Amino acid sequence: MITTDILIIGAGPTGLFAVFEAGLLKMKCHIIDALPQPGGQLAELYPKKPIFDIPGYPSVNAGELVDNLMEQIKQFQPGFTLGETAVSYTKVDDEWFEVVTNKGTVHRCKAIAIAGGLGTFEPRKPTFENLADYEEKGLEYFVKEPEHFRNKKVVIAGGGDSALDWSVFLSNVASEVTLIHRRNEFRGALDSVEKVQDLKNQGKIKLITPAEVTGVKGDGKVEAITVAVDGQDPYDIETDYFIPLFGLTPKLGEIGNWGLNIEKNAIVVNNALDYQTNIDGIYAIGDINTYPGKLKLILCGFHEATLMCQSVYNRLNPGKKFVLKYTTVSGVDGFDGSRKEAEKAVVKKID
């Protein structure tokens, strides 16, 4: 059983920043996320795209923002349960909740912060028959462990950042990488498109456009895919892995059955106070919540995370007065023993 003060459901930017704000208040956090790595849609959908509305950053790549948030919270040593989704919760007593994931991992916490962005991300899947027969048998929707593809033949389908970036990355891992897209044009970062072009010219990536994969073949595992090129008869390509990267579909998932007040696939919260839901001790922050005047912006999620942590502190420490100080004055004490503070003022007489 994993025990923590605040269980955060969602490892996007809002969930990650909540770890920092909780750490300033000496509260421990653990994060559950359905994706195989932290960062939410920033890491999965567009890691190299620039974001222009983060205060202090005229422009910052989504992946860089995630890296910075991870570095910021490292001192507070959060735990992670990745590749799993929160399925059910139980109120154990007046102090504790228990949350169980789809893989049976049990988490005990004193407060729950749902920071799931637009919800649980589920991969958009191809529509051809017998798809389920090959899932996790050579048909993969995420690249969880790149070494699994070492010296293997890989076919990637898609035309966005994920398809481009993984094609580039796996060109140095797999024995053969084939990228298939239904158009000649790609919707991705220019740098990624140019890298794929260079690798194609070097013979390190096979590019097939305009085309689409119409089927998977194999005896108990993926052995080949069928590709239909525009204006030509379909043909088979031998491969060990097929990775369709068509984006992700957001859903509330099992959290939608928790008895929370929901409007238009978003969780209603009390924005006048602390972003708590209709269930005492369960909060919702970031894009997953809704209230009058709600704006789905990362910076708004940061604000909501801050007030949520203040509320949880008061919940965990009834009657204890907390004096808010600027970090420039109070410094930051990490759970790892580190100490960050401004240089002390120098007292010196001026002649």
Side-chain angles (χ1 to χ4, degrees), residues 316-339:
L316 272 54
N317 302 277
K320 184 176 180 180
K321 187 176 181 181
F322 171 75
V323 179
L324 176 65
K325 294 182 179 180
Y326 298 112
T327 54
T328 49
V329 175
S330 60
V332 177
D333 291 308
F335 295 169
D336 58 1
S338 63
R339 170 73 179 169

Short mmCIF file of all heavy atoms in Angstrom, two decimals, residues 316-339:
data_model
loop_
_atom_site.label_atom_id
_atom_site.label_comp_id
_atom_site.label_asym_id
_atom_site.label_seq_id
_atom_site.Cartn_x
_atom_site.Cartn_y
_atom_site.Cartn_z
N LEU A 316 -5.53 19.19 7.18
CA LEU A 316 -4.66 18.27 7.89
C LEU A 316 -4.15 18.82 9.21
O LEU A 316 -3.70 18.05 10.08
CB LEU A 316 -3.45 17.89 7.02
CG LEU A 316 -3.61 16.70 6.07
CD1 LEU A 316 -4.81 16.84 5.16
CD2 LEU A 316 -2.34 16.48 5.27
N ASN A 317 -4.21 20.15 9.36
CA ASN A 317 -3.69 20.79 10.58
C ASN A 317 -4.74 21.75 11.16
O ASN A 317 -4.52 22.97 11.19
CB ASN A 317 -2.40 21.56 10.25
CG ASN A 317 -1.33 20.67 9.66
OD1 ASN A 317 -0.60 20.00 10.37
ND2 ASN A 317 -1.23 20.68 8.34
N PRO A 318 -5.87 21.21 11.60
CA PRO A 318 -6.93 22.09 12.12
C PRO A 318 -6.46 22.89 13.33
O PRO A 318 -5.82 22.37 14.25
CB PRO A 318 -8.04 21.10 12.51
CG PRO A 318 -7.33 19.80 12.70
CD PRO A 318 -6.20 19.79 11.74
N GLY A 319 -6.73 24.18 13.27
CA GLY A 319 -6.36 25.05 14.39
C GLY A 319 -4.94 25.53 14.38
O GLY A 319 -4.56 26.40 15.17
N LYS A 320 -4.11 24.99 13.46
CA LYS A 320 -2.72 25.41 13.40
C LYS A 320 -2.60 26.59 12.45
O LYS A 320 -3.01 26.51 11.30
CB LYS A 320 -1.83 24.26 12.92
CG LYS A 320 -0.34 24.59 12.92
CD LYS A 320 0.49 23.38 12.53
CE LYS A 320 1.98 23.71 12.53
NZ LYS A 320 2.79 22.52 12.14
N LYS A 321 -2.03 27.66 12.93
CA LYS A 321 -1.92 28.87 12.12
C LYS A 321 -0.71 28.77 11.20
O LYS A 321 0.39 28.45 11.63
CB LYS A 321 -1.81 30.11 13.01
CG LYS A 321 -1.86 31.42 12.24
CD LYS A 321 -1.85 32.62 13.18
CE LYS A 321 -1.92 33.93 12.40
NZ LYS A 321 -1.90 35.10 13.30
N PHE A 322 -0.95 29.05 9.94
CA PHE A 322 0.14 29.04 8.97
C PHE A 322 0.34 30.46 8.46
O PHE A 322 -0.60 31.11 8.02
CB PHE A 322 -0.15 28.12 7.79
CG PHE A 322 0.84 28.24 6.66
CD1 PHE A 322 2.10 27.69 6.78
CD2 PHE A 322 0.51 28.91 5.50
CE1 PHE A 322 3.02 27.80 5.76
CE2 PHE A 322 1.42 29.03 4.46
CZ PHE A 322 2.68 28.47 4.59
N VAL A 323 1.58 30.93 8.55
CA VAL A 323 1.90 32.27 8.07
C VAL A 323 2.57 32.15 6.71
O VAL A 323 3.67 31.58 6.59
CB VAL A 323 2.84 33.01 9.06
CG1 VAL A 323 3.17 34.40 8.52
CG2 VAL A 323 2.19 33.10 10.43
N LEU A 324 1.89 32.64 5.67
CA LEU A 324 2.42 32.56 4.32
C LEU A 324 3.57 33.55 4.16
O LEU A 324 3.44 34.73 4.48
CB LEU A 324 1.32 32.88 3.30
CG LEU A 324 1.75 32.93 1.84
CD1 LEU A 324 2.21 31.54 1.37
CD2 LEU A 324 0.63 33.44 0.95
N LYS A 325 4.71 33.06 3.68
CA LYS A 325 5.87 33.91 3.42
C LYS A 325 6.33 33.71 1.98
O LYS A 325 6.19 32.62 1.42
CB LYS A 325 7.02 33.57 4.38
CG LYS A 325 6.76 33.86 5.84
CD LYS A 325 7.98 33.52 6.67
CE LYS A 325 7.76 33.82 8.15
NZ LYS A 325 8.95 33.48 8.96
N TYR A 326 6.87 34.76 1.42
CA TYR A 326 7.47 34.61 0.10
C TYR A 326 8.66 33.67 0.19
O TYR A 326 9.41 33.69 1.17
CB TYR A 326 7.93 35.97 -0.44
CG TYR A 326 6.83 36.98 -0.62
CD1 TYR A 326 6.77 38.11 0.17
CD2 TYR A 326 5.87 36.80 -1.62
CE1 TYR A 326 5.75 39.05 0.00
CE2 TYR A 326 4.86 37.73 -1.79
CZ TYR A 326 4.81 38.85 -0.97
OH TYR A 326 3.80 39.76 -1.15
N THR A 327 8.85 32.85 -0.83
CA THR A 327 10.00 31.94 -0.81
C THR A 327 11.32 32.72 -0.82
O THR A 327 12.34 32.20 -0.37
CB THR A 327 9.95 30.97 -2.00
OG1 THR A 327 9.84 31.71 -3.22
CG2 THR A 327 8.77 30.03 -1.88
N THR A 328 11.30 33.96 -1.33
CA THR A 328 12.52 34.76 -1.31
C THR A 328 12.95 35.09 0.12
O THR A 328 14.11 35.33 0.40
CB THR A 328 12.32 36.08 -2.07
OG1 THR A 328 11.10 36.70 -1.63
CG2 THR A 328 12.22 35.82 -3.56
N VAL A 329 11.96 35.09 1.03
CA VAL A 329 12.24 35.39 2.44
C VAL A 329 12.48 34.11 3.24
O VAL A 329 13.44 34.00 4.00
CB VAL A 329 11.07 36.19 3.07
CG1 VAL A 329 11.30 36.40 4.56
CG2 VAL A 329 10.90 37.52 2.35
N SER A 330 11.58 33.14 3.04
CA SER A 330 11.63 31.92 3.86
C SER A 330 12.54 30.84 3.29
O SER A 330 12.94 29.92 4.01
CB SER A 330 10.22 31.35 4.02
OG SER A 330 9.67 31.02 2.76
N GLY A 331 12.87 30.92 1.99
CA GLY A 331 13.65 29.88 1.37
C GLY A 331 12.81 28.64 1.11
O GLY A 331 11.60 28.63 1.34
N VAL A 332 13.44 27.59 0.61
CA VAL A 332 12.75 26.34 0.30
C VAL A 332 13.55 25.19 0.90
O VAL A 332 14.73 25.01 0.58
CB VAL A 332 12.60 26.13 -1.21
CG1 VAL A 332 11.95 24.78 -1.50
CG2 VAL A 332 11.78 27.26 -1.83
N ASP A 333 12.92 24.42 1.78
CA ASP A 333 13.55 23.24 2.38
C ASP A 333 13.00 21.99 1.71
O ASP A 333 11.82 21.67 1.85
CB ASP A 333 13.27 23.18 3.89
CG ASP A 333 13.98 24.29 4.65
OD1 ASP A 333 15.21 24.43 4.46
OD2 ASP A 333 13.31 25.03 5.41
N GLY A 334 13.86 21.29 0.99
CA GLY A 334 13.44 20.07 0.33
C GLY A 334 13.39 18.89 1.28
O GLY A 334 14.08 18.87 2.30
N PHE A 335 12.58 17.91 0.94
CA PHE A 335 12.50 16.70 1.76
C PHE A 335 13.80 15.90 1.69
O PHE A 335 14.04 15.02 2.50
CB PHE A 335 11.34 15.82 1.30
CG PHE A 335 9.98 16.44 1.51
CD1 PHE A 335 8.85 15.87 0.94
CD2 PHE A 335 9.81 17.59 2.27
CE1 PHE A 335 7.60 16.42 1.12
CE2 PHE A 335 8.56 18.16 2.45
CZ PHE A 335 7.45 17.57 1.87
N ASP A 336 14.62 16.19 0.68
CA ASP A 336 15.89 15.48 0.50
C ASP A 336 17.02 16.11 1.31
O ASP A 336 18.19 15.73 1.16
CB ASP A 336 16.27 15.43 -0.97
CG ASP A 336 16.39 16.83 -1.60
OD1 ASP A 336 16.20 17.84 -0.87
OD2 ASP A 336 16.67 16.91 -2.81
N GLY A 337 16.69 17.09 2.16
CA GLY A 337 17.70 17.74 2.98
C GLY A 337 18.31 18.97 2.36
O GLY A 337 19.12 19.66 2.99
N SER A 338 17.92 19.27 1.12
CA SER A 338 18.48 20.45 0.46
C SER A 338 17.85 21.71 1.01
O SER A 338 16.75 21.70 1.57
CB SER A 338 18.24 20.37 -1.05
OG SER A 338 16.85 20.38 -1.34
N ARG A 339 18.57 22.81 0.86
CA ARG A 339 18.09 24.11 1.33
C ARG A 339 18.40 25.16 0.28
O ARG A 339 19.54 25.34 -0.13
CB ARG A 339 18.76 24.48 2.65
CG ARG A 339 18.53 25.91 3.13
CD ARG A 339 17.14 26.12 3.64
NE ARG A 339 16.94 27.50 4.13
CZ ARG A 339 15.76 28.02 4.45
NH1 ARG A 339 14.68 27.28 4.35
NH2 ARG A 339 15.65 29.26 4.87
#
